[in-house]
Amino acid sequence: MPSIAKKVIFITFLTSLFLNANSSYILKQEYLKPQAAEMINTIGQELTLKTGVNAYVLETNESFPIGYNLVQYSERYHQKMKVPYILYLFAPNALITEKTKQRGRIGIIPSSNTLKALYDYDAVRDAGLDVITVKDKNSIIDKYNIGVLQAYSELADQIAAHKNVKMEHTIPNETQLFVNVIRVILYTGLILIVWIFFIKPMIQKRGKND
């Protein structure tokens, strides 16, 4: 009996390793550190379990020329992705303009057009760029790690929201929260200005006329 129990435990262990090895949501990584990669896979597994949508990350250091077709490039990894999927592609060395030599492209590629309704491209893109482009003491590699993780987390949250489920392992987008707070403050200030300089004087003027 003990030997049978050991065999069962060993088989279970091997099965677990096999499942984990085949559940990677990172198709290619040039900059991701183990900690960031682990968090992405954890978020990806939760997202697939709760929504049925697979979200993948592909990061490459290739220096793509201007206008290079990222969708066509992603097709190289098609067999590694399970439909339905959304791919987040990060290519920091891709050339954008020849004159300024500006580099860095982000692609968000769904397996079908219907999946585009599950996320806001600009919001997901900016979630990563806001981290990568900020001037601080972090190294560029650390920024890449944090930026890709933040963008992937934002993508997962948006997909989950459209599916009416809540993610537990994603990272709050503090930048977006800050922007929303500033937006509320600005709107509140605008309303106060309109009230003080326009609406209130009009009410007072009407009161005097009556």
Side-chain angles (χ1 to χ4, degrees):
M1 288 296 291
S3 60
I4 295 176
K6 289 181 179 179
K7 288 181 179 179
V8 171
I9 293 173
F10 181 68
I11 292 172
T12 303
F13 175 71
L14 289 180
T15 302
S16 175
L17 287 179
F18 176 79
L19 290 174
N20 288 332
N22 287 275
S23 62
S24 177
Y25 293 87
I26 303 170
L27 305 179
K28 182 180 180 181
Q29 61 184 92
E30 302 283 0
Y31 308 102
L32 282 179
K33 296 180 179 180
Q35 299 90 334
E38 183 180 355
M39 292 182 71
I40 286 173
N41 279 321
T42 298
I43 294 171
Q45 289 170 5
E46 182 186 359
L47 182 68
T48 299
L49 180 65
K50 291 183 175 180
T51 69
V53 178
N54 300 289
Y56 295 97
V57 169
L58 194 166
E59 57 166 15
T60 175
N61 60 7
E62 295 187 52
S63 300
F64 297 132
I66 298 173
Y68 185 80
N69 193 324
L70 295 181
V71 175
Q72 186 175 352
Y73 175 78
S74 71
E75 291 176 355
R76 301 180 186 180
Y77 300 86
H78 181 72
Q79 293 184 346
K80 295 184 178 181
M81 296 185 283
K82 295 180 181 179
V83 177
Y85 68 77
I86 298 173
L87 171 65
Y88 177 84
L89 196 159
F90 178 61
N93 292 327
L95 189 62
I96 299 177
T97 60
E98 185 66 43
K99 186 176 181 179
T100 63
K101 299 298 182 181
Q102 185 178 1
R103 294 181 179 274
R105 289 182 62 190
I106 291 172
I108 303 176
I109 305 167
S111 58
S112 67
N113 288 330
T114 56
L115 293 175
K116 291 182 179 180
L118 300 181
Y119 61 90
D120 182 325
Y121 174 87
D122 292 336
V124 175
R125 177 200 61 194
D126 292 346
L129 288 181
D130 288 344
V131 175
I132 295 171
T133 58
V134 70
K135 294 182 179 180
D136 57 24
K137 295 181 180 180
N138 288 315
S139 68
I140 189 62
I141 299 301
D142 285 340
K143 289 181 181 180
Y144 287 168
N145 275 261
I146 300 170
V148 170
L149 178 58
Q150 186 69 71
Y152 184 81
S153 179
E154 177 68 21
L155 176 62
D157 274 335
Q158 290 193 17
I159 295 170
H162 277 83
K163 296 289 186 177
N164 295 316
V165 296
K166 186 173 179 59
M167 297 289 292
E168 297 178 2
H169 294 94
T170 50
I171 303 169
N173 189 341
E174 295 180 357
T175 301
Q176 187 60 45
L177 178 61
F178 176 75
V179 170
N180 289 336
V181 170
I182 295 298
R183 184 179 291 121
V184 170
I185 292 173
L186 290 176
Y187 286 163
T188 303
L190 179 61
I191 292 171
L192 287 174
I193 290 173
V194 172
W195 168 259
I196 293 171
F197 292 100
F198 295 97
I199 299 177
K200 187 177 180 180
M202 289 175 62
I203 294 175
Q204 291 175 340
K205 186 175 181 180
R206 286 185 180 180
K208 291 179 180 179
N209 292 336
D210 294 340

